[in-house]
Amino acid sequence: MRHYAILRLLLAGFFLYIAWPFIPEAIIQEAVLFWGVWLGFLILVIGANFATLLQMTEPPIMEQEKSKTRERA
């Protein structure tokens, strides 16, 4: 299910595209803290999805392929 990781990377890129013009306008300390935390979270999201895409980690349980096998008595 690599397409989920690709879709999440595209969504993160879109969010960064929307937020990028507002980041340099942060003047007060709370705004700088908010954008710092937001960019840190974005880096974590991008890193986790690249790790899934490069098969360095297992995908989440909901995205793992299920193989149906019948047990014989």
Side-chain angles (χ1 to χ4, degrees):
M1 299 278 184
R2 296 168 51 128
H3 58 281
Y4 288 134
I6 293 171
L7 287 174
R8 285 190 296 260
L9 284 170
L10 289 172
L11 184 64
F14 175 72
F15 286 155
L16 182 61
Y17 173 76
I18 296 297
W20 193 257
F22 299 105
I23 294 173
E25 295 177 3
I27 297 173
I28 60 175
Q29 188 66 26
E30 289 84 8
V32 172
L33 179 65
F34 170 78
W35 286 115
V37 170
W38 191 88
L39 287 171
F41 181 69
L42 182 74
I43 289 171
L44 286 175
V45 168
I46 291 172
N49 283 300
F50 269 125
T52 300
L53 198 61
L54 297 174
Q55 297 176 351
M56 296 171 68
T57 61
E58 291 290 325
I61 300 288
M62 293 179 64
E63 296 177 13
Q64 291 180 0
E65 296 287 334
K66 293 181 183 177
S67 59
K68 295 182 180 181
T69 56
R70 289 180 71 179
E71 293 183 16
R72 295 184 181 193

